[in-house]
Amino acid sequence: HMPDSSCREDTQAIMDLGATVCTRKQPECITCPLENSCVAREKGLVEQLPHPKPGKTLPTRDCSMLIFFHCDDQEVLLQRQPEQGIWGGLWSFPELQSTQQWSKLKEESALPEPEQWKNIRHTFTHFHLQINPLYIKLRRPPKPRIEGAEWVTLDTVNQRGLPAPVQRIIQQLQQGKSI
């Protein structure tokens, strides 16, 4: 069906036909201008074509998020993510890079042991992110300081741009539930 000229327009028309008429579910064969020369229709394969793409196995990355919650002030500690990279410019919980980082922070701020919450799996187009939430409930100052992080009240936290998994955790905190 490819013409000798105007190949670009013809290719675009075929893609438009596939998006509107010759769809995977409920194709509109009766309105198709290629109905009489369609091999799938002729051989009774309309329901089987196109074949679904096999799913590819995505790699998994792990991260630990520190969920600091100050009970007295109803605040959480959030850190703005760099513009480049995952969740660019959004606010998220501080991530733990190493056990040494946690040991130093715990010692400097006299922090209690974190409560391990159920892992959260978040899928991106190219990988799965396995989030290990570590909940640290604080009842008195001093609050730990982490570079680039700010304390935000649960009443105003939704005014910030938050990734979906962080929003779910915030909702649980607002409802007074643990995950």
Side-chain angles (χ1 to χ4, degrees):
H1 295 286
M2 183 65 77
D4 293 332
S5 62
S6 303
C7 293
R8 179 180 294 169
E9 290 84 0
D10 192 67
T11 301
Q12 184 62 50
I14 290 172
M15 290 191 312
D16 290 343
L17 187 67
T20 58
V21 177
C22 191
T23 60
R24 183 184 306 269
K25 294 181 182 175
Q26 299 177 336
E28 304 272 335
C29 295
I30 298 169
T31 62
C32 181
L34 303 174
E35 176 186 17
N36 294 333
S37 60
C38 177
V39 175
R41 187 166 166 85
E42 182 182 306
K43 294 186 177 185
L45 300 173
V46 172
E47 299 299 321
Q48 288 93 17
L49 297 175
H51 297 289
K53 290 182 183 178
K56 63 178 181 179
T57 303
L58 299 178
T60 299
R61 296 183 190 169
D62 296 312
C63 82
S64 293
M65 287 187 176
L66 300 173
I67 305 166
F68 289 104
F69 178 65
H70 193 267
C71 301
D72 299 337
D73 299 332
Q74 293 291 292
E75 292 179 321
V76 291
L77 188 66
L78 294 179
Q79 190 171 35
R80 189 157 191 217
Q81 299 298 305
E83 291 297 326
Q84 302 300 321
I86 187 173
W87 295 325
L90 297 177
W91 291 83
S92 182
F93 297 110
E95 292 183 22
L96 191 58
Q97 304 302 324
S98 67
T99 53
Q100 291 82 11
Q101 182 187 15
W102 170 248
S103 297
K104 182 180 177 188
L105 185 63
K106 183 179 175 192
E107 186 177 304
E108 288 173 354
S109 302
L111 296 172
E113 281 298 318
E115 180 183 324
Q116 174 70 53
W117 281 3
K118 182 180 174 187
N119 285 350
I120 299 169
R121 184 178 180 112
H122 185 75
T123 301
F124 293 91
T125 55
H126 294 90
F127 68 94
H128 299 293
L129 182 64
Q130 188 76 19
I131 300 169
N132 177 28
L134 301 172
Y135 176 72
I136 302 104
K137 189 174 188 176
L138 305 172
R139 295 197 176 274
R140 59 173 173 71
K143 299 174 185 173
R145 291 189 185 146
I146 296 177
E147 188 176 327
E150 297 177 17
W151 287 95
V152 183
T153 65
L154 288 181
D155 293 338
T156 62
V157 72
N158 292 327
Q159 296 171 4
R160 304 207 180 204
L162 304 169
V166 173
Q167 286 177 344
R168 284 194 308 245
I169 293 170
I170 295 289
Q171 287 172 347
Q172 294 295 319
L173 290 170
Q174 288 169 332
Q175 296 169 3
K177 299 176 185 175
S178 64
I179 294 180

